Amino acid sequence: MNLFNLRRHSPSLDDLVAHASFQSRGDNLSSECLMPSVERPKQVFVRGQGSWLWDNDDRAYLDFSQGGGANSLGHSPKALVNAIATQAQTLINPGFGLHNRGMLNLAERLCVSTGSDQAYLLNSGSEACEAAIKLARKWGQQHRGGASRIIVANNGCHGRSLATISASDSSTQVNRFEPQLPGFSHVPFNDLPALHAAVDERTVAIMLEPIQSEAGVIPATAHYLKGVERLCRELGILLILDEVQTGIGRCGTLLAEQSYSVRADIVVLGKGLGGGVPVAALLARGKACCFETGEITGTHHGNALMTAAGLSVLDSVHDKGFLEHVGQSAQHLCEGLQRLARRYGHGELRGQGLLWGLTLSDDSADAVVKAALYEGLLLNAPQPDCLRFTPALNVSKANIDEMLLRLARAFSRVRTAQLQCRKGIAV
């Protein structure tokens, strides 16, 4: 099958202005019983392979979101499918109060490959970030006179649980679930003096994302992150790096901290660790290893099925040449996006590895996402003026080139629609 022949004819501009809406001839499914969460397109997706998804009308879509980066190896990769299928035939979940081989193997693999001393396996990045907050506060009780305050960055996003919303700043839900959990201080990102001024005797940790993904893919500068690490060492507080988005090869190294040449006391992993299966991990090093029996548990934590997925992903990422491929693909994607940005008068391209954010010349990101959907391209807009690209780590150059062609058509469609709107207003 030639996937490049699966492009659909572009609809009229009137369709774009009226929003993306396709009449499905497939299953008669409704979202009426589904609690509202995020705005989703009307399509119902039924299968995927690599960088491609198909809906129930057998339309093909090139996916450069990949579940926000969760599908690190793309859709239904053979190695992951085989690992899950094999494990499901023998053992799925013996219970969180019992050991299983996958739990022990994945914890050991994570510790060895990241230079950590202990690992705990959870279900989601939000849950793992919340566990990191608990671990830091436990350490503060033992070693810092009960200090519990954690300094976080403006525009950061650490999840959607009550604690992680309180630790976040970019969430639109911040003011909807008052009162917030106390104990967090927000300071400007990439501002060392502000961070230094915020530390006092109540401070137990600094918690940061190496790249603020939801804020529009804003990387920490090397000077800043190294300065944060030095500050933590000098003042005797913990450094927590939230690598839910940046870890497991997304930035061209196993962890983003490696590319910055820093070392955190606590590292949080999620998204790409399971390749689409809900797996997350809390990693602790040295003095931060202070959880005791009974202080962190969960029904599905470290179950055999999810750990089989995690081990399969780690096997792939550690394959010879895998991270080198990420670097080469990153360069190809970066150069292509820069060309498009210049051609259409857009702004800055930010990111690292296969995590990129393109700033647009106006707040048209949602319109571009809808236009891209018409072109059979799935994208994400974390901010009104920013597109985010998180393709599979094994994406091919051919698929990157095809994405750039479809994105160019989406840009053209939005520009034409904007000109038509302006003419209408002028009339």
Side-chain angles (χ1 to χ4, degrees), residues 247-264:
I248 313 300
R250 176 59 57 182
C251 292
T253 50
L254 186 64
L255 300 179
E257 68 166 17
Q258 295 167 331
S259 67
Y260 282 94
S261 298
V262 300
R263 180 173 171 82

PDB file of all heavy atoms in Angstrom, residues 247-264:
ATOM      1  N   GLY A 247      12.013  12.422  29.008  1.00  0.00           N
ATOM      2  CA  GLY A 247      12.795  11.222  29.245  1.00  0.00           C
ATOM      3  C   GLY A 247      12.596  10.135  28.204  1.00  0.00           C
ATOM      4  O   GLY A 247      11.810  10.256  27.267  1.00  0.00           O
ATOM      5  N   ILE A 248      13.341   9.050  28.351  1.00  0.00           N
ATOM      6  CA  ILE A 248      13.269   7.848  27.492  1.00  0.00           C
ATOM      7  C   ILE A 248      13.557   8.185  26.031  1.00  0.00           C
ATOM      8  O   ILE A 248      12.837   7.816  25.105  1.00  0.00           O
ATOM      9  CB  ILE A 248      11.905   7.122  27.641  1.00  0.00           C
ATOM     10  CG1 ILE A 248      11.546   6.974  29.096  1.00  0.00           C
ATOM     11  CG2 ILE A 248      11.985   5.727  26.990  1.00  0.00           C
ATOM     12  CD1 ILE A 248      12.553   6.170  29.917  1.00  0.00           C
ATOM     13  N   GLY A 249      14.646   8.944  25.805  1.00  0.00           N
ATOM     14  CA  GLY A 249      15.147   9.171  24.455  1.00  0.00           C
ATOM     15  C   GLY A 249      14.535  10.337  23.719  1.00  0.00           C
ATOM     16  O   GLY A 249      14.993  10.659  22.613  1.00  0.00           O
ATOM     17  N   ARG A 250      13.530  10.992  24.273  1.00  0.00           N
ATOM     18  CA  ARG A 250      12.821  12.051  23.552  1.00  0.00           C
ATOM     19  C   ARG A 250      13.772  13.193  23.150  1.00  0.00           C
ATOM     20  O   ARG A 250      13.586  13.815  22.098  1.00  0.00           O
ATOM     21  CB  ARG A 250      11.679  12.572  24.423  1.00  0.00           C
ATOM     22  CG  ARG A 250      10.879  13.742  23.866  1.00  0.00           C
ATOM     23  CD  ARG A 250      10.225  13.467  22.543  1.00  0.00           C
ATOM     24  NE  ARG A 250       9.324  12.320  22.537  1.00  0.00           N
ATOM     25  CZ  ARG A 250       8.682  11.891  21.457  1.00  0.00           C
ATOM     26  NH1 ARG A 250       8.866  12.507  20.286  1.00  0.00           N
ATOM     27  NH2 ARG A 250       7.882  10.847  21.521  1.00  0.00           N
ATOM     28  N   CYS A 251      14.779  13.461  23.972  1.00  0.00           N
ATOM     29  CA  CYS A 251      15.696  14.572  23.703  1.00  0.00           C
ATOM     30  C   CYS A 251      17.019  14.119  23.105  1.00  0.00           C
ATOM     31  O   CYS A 251      17.981  14.885  23.048  1.00  0.00           O
ATOM     32  CB  CYS A 251      15.935  15.370  24.981  1.00  0.00           C
ATOM     33  SG  CYS A 251      14.467  16.265  25.551  1.00  0.00           S
ATOM     34  N   GLY A 252      17.079  12.854  22.671  1.00  0.00           N
ATOM     35  CA  GLY A 252      18.292  12.341  22.041  1.00  0.00           C
ATOM     36  C   GLY A 252      19.229  11.638  22.994  1.00  0.00           C
ATOM     37  O   GLY A 252      20.217  11.032  22.573  1.00  0.00           O
ATOM     38  N   THR A 253      18.955  11.734  24.291  1.00  0.00           N
ATOM     39  CA  THR A 253      19.658  10.972  25.321  1.00  0.00           C
ATOM     40  C   THR A 253      18.598  10.269  26.152  1.00  0.00           C
ATOM     41  O   THR A 253      17.417  10.646  26.118  1.00  0.00           O
ATOM     42  CB  THR A 253      20.507  11.888  26.217  1.00  0.00           C
ATOM     43  OG1 THR A 253      19.696  12.988  26.670  1.00  0.00           O
ATOM     44  CG2 THR A 253      21.702  12.435  25.464  1.00  0.00           C
ATOM     45  N   LEU A 254      18.994   9.258  26.917  1.00  0.00           N
ATOM     46  CA  LEU A 254      17.984   8.522  27.683  1.00  0.00           C
ATOM     47  C   LEU A 254      17.207   9.468  28.582  1.00  0.00           C
ATOM     48  O   LEU A 254      15.972   9.422  28.641  1.00  0.00           O
ATOM     49  CB  LEU A 254      18.634   7.415  28.505  1.00  0.00           C
ATOM     50  CG  LEU A 254      17.637   6.495  29.233  1.00  0.00           C
ATOM     51  CD1 LEU A 254      16.779   5.729  28.244  1.00  0.00           C
ATOM     52  CD2 LEU A 254      18.374   5.544  30.163  1.00  0.00           C
ATOM     53  N   LEU A 255      17.911  10.357  29.291  1.00  0.00           N
ATOM     54  CA  LEU A 255      17.299  11.409  30.094  1.00  0.00           C
ATOM     55  C   LEU A 255      17.807  12.760  29.602  1.00  0.00           C
ATOM     56  O   LEU A 255      18.963  12.879  29.195  1.00  0.00           O
ATOM     57  CB  LEU A 255      17.644  11.255  31.584  1.00  0.00           C
ATOM     58  CG  LEU A 255      17.222   9.953  32.278  1.00  0.00           C
ATOM     59  CD1 LEU A 255      17.661   9.987  33.736  1.00  0.00           C
ATOM     60  CD2 LEU A 255      15.721   9.734  32.179  1.00  0.00           C
ATOM     61  N   ALA A 256      16.958  13.769  29.694  1.00  0.00           N
ATOM     62  CA  ALA A 256      17.386  15.103  29.281  1.00  0.00           C
ATOM     63  C   ALA A 256      18.497  15.625  30.182  1.00  0.00           C
ATOM     64  O   ALA A 256      19.344  16.403  29.730  1.00  0.00           O
ATOM     65  CB  ALA A 256      16.202  16.064  29.295  1.00  0.00           C
ATOM     66  N   GLU A 257      18.517  15.200  31.444  1.00  0.00           N
ATOM     67  CA  GLU A 257      19.565  15.675  32.350  1.00  0.00           C
ATOM     68  C   GLU A 257      20.954  15.345  31.818  1.00  0.00           C
ATOM     69  O   GLU A 257      21.912  16.074  32.081  1.00  0.00           O
ATOM     70  CB  GLU A 257      19.378  15.107  33.759  1.00  0.00           C
ATOM     71  CG  GLU A 257      19.606  13.616  33.874  1.00  0.00           C
ATOM     72  CD  GLU A 257      19.745  13.141  35.327  1.00  0.00           C
ATOM     73  OE1 GLU A 257      19.351  13.879  36.242  1.00  0.00           O
ATOM     74  OE2 GLU A 257      20.245  12.009  35.523  1.00  0.00           O
ATOM     75  N   GLN A 258      21.064  14.258  31.064  1.00  0.00           N
ATOM     76  CA  GLN A 258      22.356  13.880  30.505  1.00  0.00           C
ATOM     77  C   GLN A 258      22.821  14.888  29.463  1.00  0.00           C
ATOM     78  O   GLN A 258      24.016  15.202  29.375  1.00  0.00           O
ATOM     79  CB  GLN A 258      22.268  12.478  29.896  1.00  0.00           C
ATOM     80  CG  GLN A 258      21.993  11.394  30.926  1.00  0.00           C
ATOM     81  CD  GLN A 258      21.600  10.071  30.289  1.00  0.00           C
ATOM     82  OE1 GLN A 258      21.027  10.029  29.192  1.00  0.00           O
ATOM     83  NE2 GLN A 258      21.891   8.974  30.973  1.00  0.00           N
ATOM     84  N   SER A 259      21.907  15.417  28.682  1.00  0.00           N
ATOM     85  CA  SER A 259      22.277  16.399  27.666  1.00  0.00           C
ATOM     86  C   SER A 259      22.657  17.730  28.308  1.00  0.00           C
ATOM     87  O   SER A 259      23.365  18.539  27.702  1.00  0.00           O
ATOM     88  CB  SER A 259      21.138  16.599  26.665  1.00  0.00           C
ATOM     89  OG  SER A 259      20.011  17.201  27.280  1.00  0.00           O
ATOM     90  N   TYR A 260      22.180  17.966  29.539  1.00  0.00           N
ATOM     91  CA  TYR A 260      22.520  19.191  30.271  1.00  0.00           C
ATOM     92  C   TYR A 260      23.709  18.986  31.218  1.00  0.00           C
ATOM     93  O   TYR A 260      24.180  19.937  31.835  1.00  0.00           O
ATOM     94  CB  TYR A 260      21.330  19.661  31.097  1.00  0.00           C
ATOM     95  CG  TYR A 260      20.245  20.371  30.317  1.00  0.00           C
ATOM     96  CD1 TYR A 260      19.144  19.682  29.833  1.00  0.00           C
ATOM     97  CD2 TYR A 260      20.331  21.741  30.087  1.00  0.00           C
ATOM     98  CE1 TYR A 260      18.141  20.342  29.134  1.00  0.00           C
ATOM     99  CE2 TYR A 260      19.329  22.409  29.388  1.00  0.00           C
ATOM    100  CZ  TYR A 260      18.236  21.704  28.910  1.00  0.00           C
ATOM    101  OH  TYR A 260      17.251  22.368  28.216  1.00  0.00           O
ATOM    102  N   SER A 261      24.154  17.752  31.348  1.00  0.00           N
ATOM    103  CA  SER A 261      25.262  17.410  32.268  1.00  0.00           C
ATOM    104  C   SER A 261      24.952  17.818  33.701  1.00  0.00           C
ATOM    105  O   SER A 261      25.784  18.414  34.403  1.00  0.00           O
ATOM    106  CB  SER A 261      26.571  18.061  31.803  1.00  0.00           C
ATOM    107  OG  SER A 261      26.939  17.587  30.532  1.00  0.00           O
ATOM    108  N   VAL A 262      23.725  17.506  34.140  1.00  0.00           N
ATOM    109  CA  VAL A 262      23.334  17.721  35.530  1.00  0.00           C
ATOM    110  C   VAL A 262      22.837  16.396  36.095  1.00  0.00           C
ATOM    111  O   VAL A 262      22.614  15.431  35.358  1.00  0.00           O
ATOM    112  CB  VAL A 262      22.250  18.806  35.678  1.00  0.00           C
ATOM    113  CG1 VAL A 262      22.736  20.144  35.140  1.00  0.00           C
ATOM    114  CG2 VAL A 262      20.963  18.388  34.981  1.00  0.00           C
ATOM    115  N   ARG A 263      22.651  16.364  37.406  1.00  0.00           N
ATOM    116  CA  ARG A 263      22.190  15.137  38.055  1.00  0.00           C
ATOM    117  C   ARG A 263      21.205  15.509  39.159  1.00  0.00           C
ATOM    118  O   ARG A 263      21.551  16.236  40.104  1.00  0.00           O
ATOM    119  CB  ARG A 263      23.379  14.366  38.646  1.00  0.00           C
ATOM    120  CG  ARG A 263      22.996  13.069  39.344  1.00  0.00           C
ATOM    121  CD  ARG A 263      24.247  12.293  39.740  1.00  0.00           C
ATOM    122  NE  ARG A 263      23.936  11.150  40.583  1.00  0.00           N
ATOM    123  CZ  ARG A 263      23.521   9.973  40.132  1.00  0.00           C
ATOM    124  NH1 ARG A 263      23.345   9.797  38.839  1.00  0.00           N
ATOM    125  NH2 ARG A 263      23.272   8.971  40.965  1.00  0.00           N
ATOM    126  N   ALA A 264      19.984  15.029  39.032  1.00  0.00           N
ATOM    127  CA  ALA A 264      18.940  15.319  40.007  1.00  0.00           C
ATOM    128  C   ALA A 264      18.959  14.292  41.131  1.00  0.00           C
ATOM    129  O   ALA A 264      19.523  13.200  40.997  1.00  0.00           O
ATOM    130  CB  ALA A 264      17.571  15.311  39.327  1.00  0.00           C
TER     131      ALA A 264
END
